[in-house]
Amino acid sequence: MTAAPRRVELRIRRLELDSSEAGGVSRAALCAAVEAELSLLLGPAPAAPATPTPADSDVTVLARRIARAVHRELRVGEGAS
């Protein structure tokens, strides 16, 4: 028997960034990149981002940091170490 796919819905109402970190990053691009990074961390099969970004772009680096922080906090909430 296979397990049903897990659905995770996360709403981030507000994200405050230091202006030095944001560096002119597009809000829409950052949202898409964070979503893609979180799907890599949370899901068995990553979803392709709507708008691909280069692996070393400022958006991807920032999104990766945000996604890892969110993921870490979700795991703490589950009791994981």
Side-chain angles (χ1 to χ4, degrees), residues 13-77:
R13 292 179 188 237
R14 185 176 181 164
L15 179 63
E16 291 187 29
L17 299 174
D18 185 311
S19 61
S20 64
E21 290 181 302
V25 169
S26 157
R27 180 179 172 173
L30 181 59
C31 288
V34 169
E35 185 176 334
E37 290 294 331
L38 278 171
S39 66
L40 285 171
L41 293 169
L42 296 172
T51 306
T53 56
D56 61 349
S57 75
D58 290 343
V59 172
T60 302
V61 171
L62 184 55
R64 191 169 293 136
R65 289 178 52 207
I66 293 167
R68 286 179 180 167
V70 169
H71 183 253
R72 184 173 49 251
E73 291 303 314
L74 289 172
R75 290 184 47 87
V76 167

